[in-house]
Amino acid sequence: MPRRAGTRGGETDRNTQAGELPRLWQLLLPIVAPTTVLAALMIYLGSVWVNARLRHYGLTPDVLDLSPQDYMLQSPDATFRPLLWPLLAIVLLGPPYVLFLSRIAGHATAARRVAWAATGLGVLACLLGFPGTVEVVRYNVAFPVVPLSILVGVLLLALARRLHTLTGRGALRLRAEAPLLYTFWSVALVCVLALTLIWGVAYYVLGEADASARAVLSDPYGLPRAVVYAPERLHIEGDGVTETALRQTRGEAARYRYRYEGLRLLIHANDRFFLIPVCAAGDRPPRAIALPDHESIRVDLFRPDRRRDPGCP
């Protein structure tokens, strides 16, 4: 009998531990899932930022071969701010939305009128943005009209569905009579909201990257200053780039014989230094100079300093 009691006690302990794991996962899931999605969004937006900036110099993702961590570290400012704004809007608009629904729930007639108005405006907004998705219509503006129009339209349609639910019509009837269709409708609604939101944020990041690239092209002095030492002539050319033959004493076997100044470090990736001339604004088209990160070539990097480089013509 004591042996059986001990066995039951061990089984109880194991069952208790096994039961704690699902509860622990339920506690961690609301934290782990959003964090994973946020990290994936930062990697995607970081790739948009980096590739949009460097494509002006003919650099493609295949040439750079950056890792996901590199994309996140290369563009923290470009990803934090556009991701923070939608999340902050959800936090700030959530309580007023709940308060609005609680107040209008007791007025069925007003709720139905608002629902039909939201439906009409939502369809109109979607019709405004949808032609842009298939490039039937092109809006020559810097503002992301297409994704935001669809986003606003879908939000209005979601509001209309919620109001119809409060009045006991529409969504409740569809849910009762066609539950599978209602599920697909709800999933599609959430997916469209997510895709249009990401599209709009990526559009903003793309515009900021182009502006940053143009600023660097017009004034590369803000980039780190690079001085290159090489054993042989590298024939680095560009406005503001100077080549200096280093003096050697008789019988001396110097490792480096040439020095190149007037360069700025654009990025270090794929075991290579990508440099641009300090007067890159005069290059048409802009170009980057790739040097291997090898012991045969030395690259000294310094903080930006206009006084160390000659003036541009």
Side-chain angles (χ1 to χ4, degrees):
M1 294 297 294
R3 184 176 300 176
R4 292 182 180 178
T7 302
R8 291 178 181 176
E11 291 179 354
T12 303
D13 293 339
R14 287 193 295 271
N15 293 334
T16 302
Q17 294 176 359
E20 289 178 353
L21 292 178
R23 288 196 295 269
L24 179 61
W25 176 247
Q26 290 177 359
L27 294 175
L28 293 178
L29 184 60
I31 300 175
V32 174
T35 304
T36 304
V37 173
L38 185 61
L41 286 176
M42 291 182 62
I43 294 172
Y44 167 69
L45 295 177
S47 65
V48 172
W49 167 267
V50 173
N51 295 329
R53 287 186 70 240
L54 300 182
R55 69 181 180 182
H56 292 269
Y57 304 93
L59 299 178
T60 62
D62 295 336
V63 174
L64 297 174
D65 193 22
L66 295 175
S67 66
Q69 292 79 7
D70 293 331
Y71 282 127
M72 293 180 66
L73 296 176
Q74 286 287 340
S75 56
D77 294 337
T79 55
F80 286 163
R81 287 180 296 176
L83 285 177
L84 176 63
W85 294 338
L87 296 177
L88 186 60
I90 294 173
V91 172
L92 295 178
L93 297 178
Y97 174 72
V98 175
L99 179 62
F100 168 75
L101 292 180
S102 63
R103 292 294 181 84
I104 202 172
H107 303 81
T109 302
R112 285 194 293 269
R113 290 177 179 176
V114 174
W116 284 114
T119 301
L121 292 176
V123 172
L124 182 62
C126 289
L127 291 177
L128 179 64
F130 180 75
T133 61
V134 292
E135 296 186 353
V136 175
V137 178
R138 293 186 179 181
Y139 301 99
N140 294 324
V141 293
F143 190 76
V145 175
V146 174
L148 291 186
S149 296
I150 299 177
L151 176 64
V152 172
V154 173
L155 285 175
L156 290 173
L157 292 176
L159 174 62
R161 188 194 71 168
R162 183 58 179 167
L163 291 175
H164 282 301
T165 302
L166 292 176
T167 58
R169 299 185 176 185
L172 282 179
R173 184 183 305 171
L174 178 63
R175 185 174 184 178
E177 297 178 357
L180 186 59
L181 178 60
Y182 178 82
T183 302
F184 280 132
W185 181 31
S186 301
V187 171
L189 188 67
V190 174
C191 290
V192 171
L193 285 174
L195 289 176
T196 52
L197 182 59
I198 295 172
W199 186 3
V201 173
Y203 193 98
Y204 168 82
V205 172
L206 184 62
E208 290 292 310
D210 287 335
S212 175
R214 289 192 295 269
V216 171
L217 282 173
S218 61
D219 187 12
Y221 281 97
L223 298 176
R225 187 168 65 93
V227 178
V228 178
Y229 293 87
E232 304 291 340
R233 291 192 64 185
L234 299 179
H235 301 280
I236 298 178
E237 300 177 352
D239 293 338
V241 178
T242 59
E243 177 188 85
T244 303
L246 302 178
R247 293 182 178 180
Q248 310 296 329
T249 58
R250 181 176 297 179
E252 180 183 3
R255 184 172 186 178
Y256 303 109
R257 296 180 179 273
Y258 293 91
R259 181 178 64 225
Y260 295 89
E261 296 181 276
L263 296 167
R264 286 292 192 263
L265 174 66
L266 184 62
I267 190 174
H268 178 271
N270 199 12
D271 294 328
R272 283 180 289 181
F273 293 95
F274 293 94
L275 311 173
I276 60 174
V278 70
C279 300
D283 289 346
R284 292 294 182 270
R287 61 190 177 92
I289 302 166
L291 294 180
D293 187 358
H294 191 264
E295 60 181 4
S296 62
I297 297 177
R298 194 180 89 192
V299 179
D300 293 348
L301 302 175
F302 304 89
R303 61 185 296 180
D305 190 353
R306 291 178 179 272
R307 297 172 297 177
R308 296 292 183 178
D309 289 316
C312 298

